[in-house]
Amino acid sequence: MKRLKYLKAAILAECVLLALVSLLLYGEKKETLPVLSGAVARDDEEEAEKKESHGSEGEKEYIKWVEFHAPAEIMTAAYRFDVETYGEKIHLDWIDLLAYVAAKHGGKFPSGTGKELEETAEKLRAGEVTMEELTDGMEYFSYYRKAYDAILGGFVGEYKIQKRQEDGTVTWENCYGLKAFSPVAKGFYYEDYDDFGVSRSFGYSRPHLGHDMMGQIGTPIIAIESGYIEALGWNRYGGWRIGIRSFDRKRYYYYAHLRQNFPYNKELKEGSVVTAGDVIGYMGHTGYSDTENVNNIKVVHLHWGLQLIFDESQKEGNNEIWIDCYELTKFLYQNRCETMKNEETKEWHRICDMKDPSVDKFMKN
């Protein structure tokens, strides 16, 4: 009887303990949306990550994850429709077209999407349907529109460019089109491949969050988009590097491993404003060293990266968003800036100047 009494007491105590644990677990349970910061995600998380509302109530709402898979040929097709319809009653926005196709296919661009984009553009151009009608009820169009605008928003627009006439005079021509440039000057050879996400080990193990373009020492490096210099100097990973922020603050361009002893255009400093197409520096292989001005990179190349910033908390830390720039580099190849060397200063400069309205607007404000 005594043994049975002890057994009953033990069972009662265990039941009380289980009840307390269950109560604690229930009280702490929260419904959360999985959030993955950075540029690479698993397929089973992709749809959840497209939601713009992240985190608990009261937290800022902004995009925290982006992947970019648009092929260069698809971007080129959308861009041409944009330029061809400029000034027409129905002007097709190339970012709208890309976002629409991306939303239909979950951010992918499978075989046949080029024809699909072309057919959609022709219907829009003919007035048979509007983009609002096409995207009505399309759950993720808004997400892709904002994400792609963050990537491509400064690439196309109005600008003025110098034109040299046969008699040697220079005139200014009003243009609409691609006002972003390849990061390597025209006439300079380079090699590249899609190396985004490849492992890096210096300092710590990490993925390669940029795009490498292999070439010769001293190759002029070009500002892809107009903006202001946010970083200039030595970094133990990137060596001599330049960081340029777009005027809308959504894009941060990172140019690294610049030339030893002569990395930059001498006129540049932090805060300087640059116009797309300007020569900002020179290719080299500095970096991977805590000591400044050291060539510890084996292969001469430009590393350029594109970081997206929807909130300033994403600028540095675990929430950074870097995208694969390989297809962007192929797309920008069609617009390479021609340069010439000043033998006295040893500097390279663009031959034809450009006036970008976004520069004037930024300077006035």
Side-chain angles (χ1 to χ4, degrees):
M1 292 294 294
K2 196 172 187 181
R3 182 178 178 184
L4 182 60
K5 183 177 180 181
Y6 284 142
L7 182 59
K8 289 182 178 179
I11 292 173
L12 180 62
E14 187 175 351
C15 290
V16 171
L17 181 60
L18 287 172
L20 288 172
V21 170
S22 299
L23 183 61
L24 287 171
L25 288 173
Y26 180 81
E28 292 180 356
K29 183 180 179 182
K30 296 179 182 179
E31 289 186 12
T32 59
L33 178 68
V35 173
L36 177 68
S37 300
V40 181
R42 296 188 301 272
D43 288 341
D44 60 350
E45 293 175 317
E46 287 186 356
E47 294 305 311
E49 287 302 326
K50 292 167 190 165
K51 303 278 187 184
E52 291 181 59
S53 178
H54 299 300
S56 59
E57 185 177 352
E59 186 180 342
K60 283 185 180 180
E61 294 183 358
Y62 52 87
I63 294 176
K64 297 184 178 181
W65 170 79
V66 174
E67 278 190 352
F68 187 64
H69 299 292
E73 58 269 23
I74 299 295
M75 283 188 277
T76 300
Y79 163 67
R80 285 175 179 167
F81 276 111
D82 190 313
V83 173
E84 288 174 6
T85 59
Y86 178 71
E88 293 184 1
K89 184 178 180 180
I90 299 177
H91 177 216
L92 304 184
D93 185 301
W94 74 308
I95 299 177
D96 280 348
L97 291 171
L98 292 170
Y100 170 72
V101 174
K104 285 192 67 177
H105 301 282
K108 310 298 183 183
F109 291 80
S111 176
T113 51
K115 183 178 180 180
E116 181 182 2
L117 184 144
E118 183 177 344
E119 291 174 350
T120 301
E122 292 296 352
K123 289 180 180 179
L124 289 166
R125 193 173 188 177
E128 297 176 16
V129 68
T130 66
M131 184 59 72
E132 290 73 19
E133 291 170 342
L134 281 175
T135 58
D136 184 34
M138 188 174 282
E139 185 177 5
Y140 294 122
F141 175 76
S142 175
Y143 163 82
Y144 282 110
R145 185 61 180 78
K146 291 179 181 179
Y148 285 14
D149 181 66
I151 299 168
L152 306 169
F155 280 31
V156 175
E158 296 178 341
Y159 62 95
K160 291 183 178 181
I161 193 77
Q162 281 184 333
K163 296 289 184 180
R164 296 188 179 275
Q165 307 302 320
E166 293 181 358
D167 61 1
T169 60
V170 176
T171 60
W172 286 95
E173 182 177 320
N174 293 319
C175 298
Y176 177 87
L178 186 59
K179 58 178 184 175
F181 290 81
S182 167
V184 172
K186 184 176 181 178
F188 289 86
Y189 176 79
Y190 69 85
E191 293 181 348
D192 66 342
Y193 60 93
D194 193 353
D195 55 349
F196 187 79
V198 175
S199 178
R200 292 291 186 269
S201 59
F202 177 78
Y204 63 98
S205 180
R206 64 198 187 282
H208 183 230
L209 300 178
H211 182 64
D212 289 346
M213 304 173 71
M214 282 66 73
Q216 295 181 334
I217 289 179
T219 295
I221 302 305
I222 304 298
I224 295 170
E225 183 185 348
S226 301
Y228 60 92
I229 295 180
E230 196 168 71
L232 185 81
W234 183 264
N235 177 290
R236 70 190 299 253
Y237 302 103
W240 293 122
R241 92 300 189 213
I242 301 176
I244 297 178
R245 192 77 168 262
S246 63
F247 294 133
D248 63 8
R249 300 181 61 80
K250 295 178 182 179
R251 290 169 295 287
Y252 178 75
Y253 295 91
Y254 181 71
Y255 307 83
H257 309 314
L258 302 180
R259 184 172 62 182
Q260 188 182 47
N261 299 321
F262 198 167
Y264 317 121
N265 180 315
K266 295 176 181 178
E267 298 177 355
L268 298 183
K269 59 184 179 181
E270 286 189 16
S272 295
V273 173
V274 297
T275 299
D278 285 352
V279 177
I280 55 174
Y282 305 96
M283 188 181 293
H285 55 123
T286 60
Y288 282 19
S289 174
D290 290 321
T291 303
E292 286 190 1
N293 207 33
V294 173
N295 286 328
N296 268 355
I297 301 293
K298 294 181 180 179
V299 179
V300 176
H301 71 278
L302 168 71
H303 166 107
W304 84 273
L306 178 55
Q307 181 186 9
L308 306 183
I309 303 168
F310 299 94
D311 184 84
E312 284 304 310
S313 64
Q314 297 173 307
K315 181 61 175 63
E316 295 180 359
N318 295 327
N319 296 320
E320 296 178 7
I321 301 175
W322 296 87
I323 65 165
D324 190 337
C325 298
Y326 178 61
E327 295 295 333
L328 273 179
T329 302
K330 289 166 63 178
F331 172 73
L332 291 171
Y333 185 85
Q334 63 187 291
N335 200 24
R336 301 183 71 186
C337 190
E338 191 172 0
T339 59
M340 63 183 299
K341 188 176 183 179
N342 184 321
E343 293 298 337
E344 292 184 5
T345 65
K346 306 303 179 184
E347 290 270 24
W348 289 81
H349 299 279
R350 66 191 306 162
I351 292 176
C352 295
D353 284 335
M354 185 179 87
K355 293 181 180 179
D356 185 348
S358 66
V359 173
D360 295 333
K361 182 178 179 182
F362 179 80
M363 296 300 288
K364 288 178 181 178
N365 293 335

